[in-house]
Amino acid sequence: MVNKVTSAAVIGLNAYKVSVETDVLNGLPGFAIVGLPDASINEARDRVRSAIKNSGFTFPAKKVVINLAPADLKKEGSNFDLPIAVGLLVEEGVLEEEKIKDCAFIGELSLDGTLRGVNGVLPLILGLKEEGVKNIFVPQVNAVEAALAGNVNIFGAMCLGDVVNHFADVQIKPTIIDINRYLTDCAKQEYIYDFKDVKGQQKAKRALEIAAAGGHNMLMTGSPGSGKTLMAKCFASILPPLELSEALELTKIYSISGLLSSDEPLMTKRPFRAVHHTASANGIIGGGSSPKPGEITLAHRGVLFLDEMVEFPRNVLEVLRQPLEDGEIVISRAKHSIKYPAKFMLLGAMNPCPCGYLGDKEKQCTCSEFQISRYKSRLSGPLLDRIDLQVEVPRLTANELLNIVPSAETSSDIRKRVIKARKIQAERYKNEGILTNSELTSKLIKKYCQIDKESADLLKTAVVKYQLSGRRYDRILKLARTIADLDNSENIKQTHVMQALQYRMSNQSG
Ligand SMILES: Nc1ncnc2c1ncn2[C@@H]1O[C@H](COP(=O)(O)OP(=O)(O)O)[C@@H](O)[C@H]1O
Ligand SMILES: [Mg+2]
């Protein structure tokens, strides 16, 4: 007789139901697993055999065949140990097939029968929930993460014996959590870097506030020591808290990447990913032989910070263009392609020239014009087109640093304005499936970024004068929309368009 046990496998960020079929045949004792298993599933054979024996049960002394169906889906990871063991225990008569019919099982077994945590639990549970599965057994360490899915019974088990006992006499208590508590807790979080410690730099600070409010990309150009890195670090402290839907989406990403900590099962902070220019293209974009989300996906709904941006290999910068436009990245595989979300804010910092002191008040720039133009050309026009806010950050002299009194405004003050502007956007776009102005498509720009005749004339003049592309035109309108939202103004006024233009024209030739 063949018995079937339900489990699941992840592809991209989605999960599919997998049926673990167990058949025990007469013949020479053996243990085969079929259905495109990768190496870790083959190792499952040894783990399952030992775990069953060490939990006090017998392993069938016959020919055992396990099939993971559907066979054409590539399955990875060790989360099939538990369902395989359950199938074998059904064969042995320890568990009844009838009783486990509407249950699913996920978990890696160690040789002594204890259950180890696995990656990707939240997407697995959400996938199974969608398929109508009501009861799911997971390793105890993954139980809280699993329970984030809501409306499904999660049973966290310490070991294989716990699962068996649950169906006999000692039932496991389902794990239930209050998801909103995690989100409220995160509102109290503290930040190390605060804008109250940044002197002067009003223009850059204002631009960062606009970037945070509308989810816009931004580039800071300035001499070494002008505070670019410092301000980038402060940026995290003015980002709005995550919406629940965003928190769950991010948790899925961090879960499949194995980056969730067990004491923080829900991602409650917007990610701030500072990436070094020596990072590999796969590491930044995502991919590899068994594809994993890259930094642009780990920065989803948060910030991807590229310090010393011109030092990044040109090919890496160029592949950023497509996700910057689409908010997602498609990784092509032999049989199927995987889509990962990548709606990140790009925050870049760079020197104005190779020596770093072009335009500095005190130090003389030693670069030739050719060197400067070659340096700047490392960021291509199409890439710059996608960076809505471009600001110069002049270095403060030692005297200025000593004498400027810092403004009393804290990050928390700025954050309040950012949150207010985000609320306005969320309300306006509640039926459009987006959260911020930066996500507006051309069609939605026409609907939500109407400007009066004077503003339109102003923009037209700028388009001609600075030879702006159509893409830039759209982005100026989105930026003006955010500036108007920060101003609590329903209409985009001329002053908003003028401000938006000012962030486009600095630091670029055309
Ligand atoms: N506007 C500023 N206010 C306060 N400190 C500053 C400012 N600009 C620079 N500094 C100081 O200089 C240090 C170097 O700044 P940094 O952010 O590393 O510069 P950059 O990345 O532009 O080279 C900072 O850690 C900070 O101590
Ligand atoms: Mg720096």
Side-chain angles (χ1 to χ4, degrees):
M1 257 292 278
V2 177
N3 77 67
K4 290 182 186 172
V5 178
T6 303
S7 192
V10 169
I11 292 187
L13 278 193
N14 298 315
Y16 299 86
K17 193 158 139 181
V18 170
S19 186
V20 178
E21 304 171 350
T22 308
D23 197 8
V24 178
L25 308 157
N26 286 322
L28 279 182
F31 188 6
I33 302 178
V34 292
L36 276 192
D38 73 351
S40 66
I41 296 177
N42 275 324
E43 289 165 12
R45 293 190 305 184
D46 300 330
R47 288 195 302 266
V48 170
R49 197 196 306 264
S50 295
I52 287 184
K53 285 186 178 162
N54 291 328
S55 301
F57 308 110
T58 38
F59 191 86
K62 293 180 180 172
K63 185 172 164 56
V64 175
V65 182
I66 309 273
N67 180 36
L68 306 182
D72 59 344
L73 277 185
K74 176 141 170 77
K75 304 162 199 81
E76 284 157 18
S78 47
N79 49 355
F80 298 105
D81 290 7
L82 181 61
I84 291 172
V86 166
L88 288 163
L89 292 177
V90 169
E91 282 303 321
E92 283 293 298
V94 176
L95 288 168
E96 285 170 51
E97 190 169 12
E98 190 54 33
K99 285 191 180 164
I100 61 156
K101 225 174 46 202
D102 52 0
C103 301
F105 301 85
I106 293 161
E108 177 183 326
L109 284 167
S110 46
L111 301 183
D112 64 359
T114 41
L115 275 164
R116 286 220 182 102
V118 292
N119 293 340
V121 167
L122 181 61
L124 289 167
I125 304 292
L126 288 170
L128 286 166
K129 187 180 139 184
E130 208 142 274
E131 303 257 9
V133 178
K134 295 273 177 293
N135 305 300
I136 307 174
F137 290 79
V138 298
Q140 175 71 52
V141 288
N142 294 132
V144 174
E145 180 193 336
L148 293 172
N151 296 324
V152 53
N153 298 321
I154 299 297
F155 299 101
M158 296 292 285
C159 61
L160 183 58
D162 280 0
V163 177
V164 172
N165 288 339
H166 176 87
F167 294 98
D169 43 8
V170 194
Q171 290 213 351
I172 304 171
K173 265 209 200 126
T175 302
I176 295 161
I177 59 147
D178 176 5
I179 195 163
N180 286 311
R181 205 201 71 211
Y182 286 101
L183 283 179
T184 338
D185 280 358
C186 98
K188 296 177 207 138
Q189 61 200 225
E190 285 180 17
Y191 296 91
I192 312 164
Y193 296 95
D194 196 295
F195 276 111
K196 75 175 187 317
D197 303 319
V198 179
K199 298 181 176 177
Q201 305 297 11
Q202 291 313 324
K203 185 168 179 189
K205 283 194 204 172
R206 164 81 176 152
L208 286 162
E209 176 177 337
I210 297 169
H216 301 283
N217 303 318
M218 174 161 163
L219 175 64
M220 296 182 278
T221 308
S223 302
S226 60
K228 303 182 295 293
T229 304
L230 173 68
M231 285 192 279
K233 286 177 178 160
C234 292
F235 190 51
S237 64
I238 63 166
L239 296 175
L242 288 170
E243 301 285 328
L244 181 58
S245 62
E246 295 178 301
L248 283 172
E249 199 181 12
L250 265 175
T251 302
K252 286 209 275 182
I253 294 169
Y254 279 71
S255 176
I256 61 165
S257 307
L259 294 174
L260 269 191
S261 74
S262 55
D263 42 310
E264 263 180 68
L266 180 67
M267 289 289 296
T268 52
K269 254 191 194 176
R270 279 186 198 275
F272 183 93
R273 306 291 300 185
V275 182
H276 196 254
H277 56 77
T278 53
S280 73
N282 270 349
I284 294 175
I285 304 303
S289 55
S290 64
K292 278 267 143 63
E295 289 292 339
I296 60 169
T297 297
L298 295 173
H300 183 56
R301 298 288 177 193
V303 182
L304 182 76
F305 176 44
L306 306 184
D307 208 352
E308 314 292 349
M309 195 164 160
V310 286
E311 304 297 335
F312 282 75
R314 178 120 189 186
N315 65 321
V316 170
L317 292 177
E318 291 308 300
V319 266
L320 284 179
R321 274 162 49 184
Q322 181 262 322
L324 277 174
E325 203 63 28
D326 304 336
E328 60 183 27
I329 180 83
V330 178
I331 298 166
S332 298
R333 319 296 314 157
K335 278 203 172 147
H336 52 261
S337 49
I338 293 176
K339 210 188 272 177
Y340 290 127
K343 278 185 183 161
F344 57 91
M345 264 182 268
L346 176 68
L347 179 59
M350 65 182 270
N351 291 342
C353 66
C355 84
Y357 292 100
L358 180 67
D360 193 76
K361 275 172 274 185
E362 290 177 321
K363 291 196 187 170
Q364 190 72 37
C365 170
T366 56
C367 308
S368 70
E369 229 163 84
F370 174 69
Q371 282 172 317
I372 295 168
S373 75
R374 194 179 53 182
Y375 182 81
K376 286 196 165 158
S377 71
R378 279 153 85 174
L379 300 187
S380 73
L383 178 63
L384 283 172
D385 262 3
R386 289 165 171 88
I387 303 181
D388 307 1
L389 292 144
Q390 299 170 12
V391 283
E392 272 154 28
V393 183
R395 188 173 61 94
L396 301 184
T397 63
N399 230 346
E400 283 170 326
L401 267 182
L402 276 178
N403 293 323
I404 293 181
V405 187
S407 80
E409 193 166 66
T410 64
S411 285
S412 150
D413 298 328
I414 303 174
R415 191 167 187 249
K416 282 189 190 121
R417 295 197 293 266
V418 169
I419 292 173
K420 212 168 138 203
R422 284 255 178 154
K423 286 219 172 95
I424 294 173
Q425 296 165 71
E427 176 61 24
R428 185 191 302 129
Y429 304 134
K430 63 175 187 277
N431 298 321
E432 308 287 2
I434 59 170
L435 292 167
T436 56
N437 293 328
S438 62
E439 297 166 68
L440 288 169
T441 58
S442 301
K443 205 174 129 210
L444 292 176
I445 288 172
K446 289 204 180 73
K447 188 166 165 192
Y448 293 110
C449 302
Q450 298 280 348
I451 48 174
D452 61 21
K453 173 143 190 335
E454 285 79 50
S455 306
D457 288 344
L458 184 87
L459 250 182
K460 261 182 227 149
T461 316
V463 165
V464 176
K465 187 167 172 201
Y466 301 102
Q467 299 172 349
L468 302 181
S469 66
R471 182 178 291 119
R472 255 185 225 179
Y473 184 90
D474 274 2
R475 284 189 175 258
I476 292 167
L477 286 175
K478 293 197 226 184
L479 197 57
R481 182 64 268 169
T482 300
I483 295 169
D485 287 338
L486 276 169
D487 208 8
N488 202 8
S489 164
E490 204 181 315
N491 297 320
I492 303 177
K493 298 182 187 149
Q494 201 172 343
T495 160
H496 306 133
V497 174
M498 270 163 74
Q499 285 180 59
L501 272 170
Q502 157 200 331
Y503 293 111
R504 293 224 48 97
M505 288 181 289
S506 54
N507 147 48
Q508 71 188 49
S509 44

